[in-house]
DNA sequence: AACTTACGCAACCGCCTTGCG
DNA sequence: GCGCAAGGCGGTTGCGTAAGT
């Protein structure tokens, strides 16, 4: 659209489609990005910062639309992106947040540091919708929602829990949690922090959602029971933890973070799917 | 080994919202 | 208040590749 002149715009026909044709005529590049283009964009954003994407596109000498540059930056070039499989914790968080917010991918993505809305959206489509298809029900149906709540999510919690009961080798432990960027106080953003506590007696997970503006807070332990979780501290732009929660030392066992083979489909089997279909009265 | 199918992901599309003059 | 431009977001598509036959 960047190649469109202002005179081309009107509410009814300012669609990208129209401009897209114009883009083609003016030679705006589409399709996969080259390493050279990536480097140009990266350098330009490093200098000028994010935003004003049309300007970035031209400043970088890229024959791309601002939109395309923005997308490439957010989904691929951003330095704080996390790579690799969606972890069990992240899977659980996605399910919880989707049941709460629906297809608000960007909102959900804000709660998974380093993950993009596109990534989460793709995950949902390829994994979760596949399960719904397997169960022969709509992904938005009550049946599937119940299946998620009563079978899938508890099962995920079990898997997370059982994974963590393995003796944690020192080498497998890291204090480096995934980069968490807390929103500044003036940002009306939600923030969810997935934490795992490993202590000598017990461990748990607290999914805490804090909305600064309303002090809305939600958290749960591994069984989904509410917990008095961490609280948002607007003045300090940070999360403070409740000392009452297990109190153990906090760590991210590497095995939990990078466990890629424990995909959602592994939590299901035909027997369970059949059982659910019976129980939920398909 | 060749072909087909399924899957995952990057990128695009189109609509909506926001900010600004 | 209105219109324009840019940004944001959810939905969709297309392509490369792994898996299956």
């Amino acid at each position: 659209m960047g190649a469109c002149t202002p005179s081309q715009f009107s509410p009814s026909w300012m669609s990208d489609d129209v401009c897209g044709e114009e883009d083609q005529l003016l030679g705006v590049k589409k399709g996969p990005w080259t390493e050279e283009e990536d480097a140009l964009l990266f350098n330009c954003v490093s200098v000028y910062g994010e935003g004003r994407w049309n300007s970035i596109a031209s400043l970088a000498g890229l024959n791309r639309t601002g939109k395309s540059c923005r997308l490439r930056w957010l989904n691929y070039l951003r330095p704080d992106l996390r790579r690799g499989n969606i972890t069990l914790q992240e899977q659980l968080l996605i399910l919880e947040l989707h049941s709460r917010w629906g297809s608000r991918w960007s909102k959900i993505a804000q709660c998974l540091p380093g993950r993009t809305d596109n990534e989460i959206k793709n995950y949902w489509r390829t994994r979760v919708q596949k399960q719904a298809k397997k169960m022969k029900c709509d992904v938005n149906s009550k049946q599937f929602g119940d299946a998620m709540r009563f079978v899938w999510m508890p099962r995920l919690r079990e898997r997370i829990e059982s994974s963590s009961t393995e003796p944690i080798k020192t080498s497998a432990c890291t204090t480096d949690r995934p980069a968490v960027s807390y929103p500044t106080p003036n940002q009306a953003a939600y923030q969810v922090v997935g934490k795992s506590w490993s202590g000598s007696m017990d461990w748990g997970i607290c999914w805490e959602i804090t909305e600064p503006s309303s002090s809305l807070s939600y958290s749960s332990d591994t069984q989904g029971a509410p917990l008095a979780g961490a609280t948002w501290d607007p003045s300090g732009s940070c999360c403070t933890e409740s000392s009452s929660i297990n109190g153990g030392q906090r760590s991210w066992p590497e095995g939990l973070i990078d466990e890629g083979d424990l995909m959602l489909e592994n939590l299901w089997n035909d027997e369970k799917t059949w059982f659910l279909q019976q129980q939920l009265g398909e």
Side-chain angles (χ1 to χ4, degrees):
Chain A
M1 187 152 70
C4 293
T5 60
S7 63
Q8 289 174 302
F9 288 101
S10 76
S12 60
W13 51 282
M14 64 180 283
S15 72
D16 290 347
D17 206 18
V18 174
C19 295
E21 288 176 23
E22 196 72 17
D23 288 344
Q24 299 289 357
L25 289 172
L26 295 174
V28 172
K29 194 181 172 195
K30 293 185 177 181
W33 282 66
T34 64
E35 281 181 31
E36 193 187 355
E37 286 178 309
D38 281 344
L40 286 170
L41 179 59
F42 188 89
N43 289 337
C44 202
V45 176
S46 300
V47 173
Y48 298 103
E50 296 180 37
R52 307 297 301 174
W53 293 106
N54 282 337
S55 305
I56 291 277
S58 52
L59 282 168
L62 287 164
N63 215 7
R64 298 268 185 177
T65 64
K67 268 189 172 187
S68 183
C69 293
R70 175 184 164 270
L71 213 62
R72 184 63 177 174
W73 175 260
L74 293 177
N75 290 338
Y76 193 80
L77 294 175
R78 248 169 57 201
D80 61 333
L81 283 179
R82 277 190 71 192
R83 299 281 173 202
N85 292 322
I86 304 279
T87 66
L88 291 175
Q89 285 94 337
E90 287 173 324
Q91 291 180 29
L92 181 57
L93 194 50
I94 290 168
L95 295 183
E96 289 192 359
L97 294 179
H98 187 275
S99 66
R100 186 187 179 94
W101 292 329
S103 303
R104 303 288 305 280
W105 305 119
S106 60
K107 194 171 179 177
I108 293 172
Q110 283 173 18
C111 303
L112 287 106
R115 300 293 186 186
T116 68
D117 55 351
N118 212 29
E119 205 173 1
I120 295 167
K121 187 168 54 181
N122 281 333
Y123 165 78
W124 184 266
R125 286 188 59 80
T126 56
R127 309 287 170 72
V128 181
Q129 290 196 345
K130 192 172 88 180
Q131 287 304 326
K133 201 176 171 184
K134 216 172 180 178
M135 290 171 62
K136 297 185 176 69
C137 65
D138 188 87
V139 73
N140 297 316
S141 66
K142 186 180 180 299
Q143 290 104 301
F144 192 70
D146 286 345
M148 274 206 306
R149 266 192 301 280
F150 301 125
V151 177
W152 206 337
M153 286 160 67
R155 192 80 184 90
L156 261 173
R157 290 189 185 98
E158 278 174 28
R159 295 296 283 266
I160 294 168
E161 194 165 5
S162 64
S163 305
S164 77
T165 55
E166 297 292 321
I168 301 166
K169 290 181 295 235
T170 312
S171 61
C173 294
T174 171
T175 52
D176 294 329
R177 292 191 284 186
V180 177
S181 58
Y182 299 106
T184 55
N186 58 355
Q187 282 180 294
Y190 291 84
Q191 184 67 33
V192 173
V193 183
K195 298 186 177 101
S196 73
W197 276 263
S198 66
S200 55
M201 296 295 291
D202 200 359
W203 77 281
I205 293 175
C206 166
W207 305 114
E208 177 247 341
I209 304 170
T210 302
E211 185 188 12
S213 57
S214 71
S215 299
L216 169 71
S217 176
Y218 166 83
S219 61
S220 69
D221 65 8
T222 55
Q223 308 305 312
L227 275 179
T231 54
W232 173 259
D233 175 12
S235 59
S237 303
C238 67
C239 259
T240 56
E241 297 145 2
S242 163
S243 59
S244 65
I245 305 174
N246 294 333
Q249 95 185 63
R250 264 158 282 125
S251 65
W252 284 89
E254 207 168 271
L256 278 181
I257 301 294
D258 294 319
E259 204 152 21
D261 59 331
L262 293 171
M263 292 305 172
L264 281 176
E265 49 266 41
N266 296 345
L267 302 175
W268 293 80
N269 53 40
D270 291 342
E271 195 182 334
K272 190 165 279 174
T273 304
W274 177 86
F275 173 78
L276 269 167
Q277 283 168 356
Q278 305 305 308
Q279 292 298 306
L280 300 171
E282 201 205 352

